[in-house]
């Protein structure tokens, strides 16, 4: 038998292409993933938000870039959790 599957993948990658590749891999393999977006240097944890998919996330430059990047890929992001502030 192969290696055990992770229960959850936590993505804190800053490189956009690598982040997109990891998200795409997890979706294609049916792995649950939580991906961090624009949350760096924030000091108020009460302002953190979690959203399923990228469609409704506003005012986050990383989310905007990922939406554009995934516009050319056939990946359903509705099951991906994104953390941002």
């Amino acid at each position: 038998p192969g290696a055990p599957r992770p229960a959850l993948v936590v993505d804190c990658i800053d490189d956009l292409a690598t982040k997109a590749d990891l998200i795409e891999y997890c979706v294609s393999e049916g792995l649950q993933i939580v991906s961090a977006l624009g949350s760096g240097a924030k000091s108020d944890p009460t302002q953190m938000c979690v959203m399923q998919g990228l469609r409704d996330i506003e005012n986050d430059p990383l989310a905007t870039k990922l939406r554009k990047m995934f516009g050319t890929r056939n990946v359903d992001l509705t099951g991906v959790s994104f953390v941002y502030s």
Side-chain angles (χ1 to χ4, degrees):
R5 292 171 52 89
L8 176 67
V9 176
V10 178
D11 160 39
C12 299
I13 298 171
D14 289 329
D15 180 76
L16 190 63
T18 306
K19 177 182 281 294
D21 288 344
L22 176 64
I23 293 168
E24 183 173 5
Y25 176 80
C26 289
V27 169
S28 71
E29 294 297 315
L31 297 171
Q32 184 178 5
I33 181 168
V34 175
S35 182
L37 295 176
S39 304
K42 303 295 193 291
S43 60
D44 185 357
T46 66
Q47 297 301 309
M48 300 300 290
C49 300
V50 179
M51 181 76 68
Q52 293 295 115
L54 287 171
R55 189 181 63 173
D56 296 325
I57 298 174
E58 298 177 355
N59 300 319
D60 188 291
L62 189 52
T64 301
K65 291 175 185 175
L66 279 174
R67 270 194 300 272
K68 184 175 181 179
M69 181 174 277
F70 277 106
T72 62
R73 301 182 185 204
N74 187 23
V75 180
D76 180 7
L77 298 176
T78 57
V80 177
S81 297
F82 291 94
V83 179
Y84 65 101
S85 59

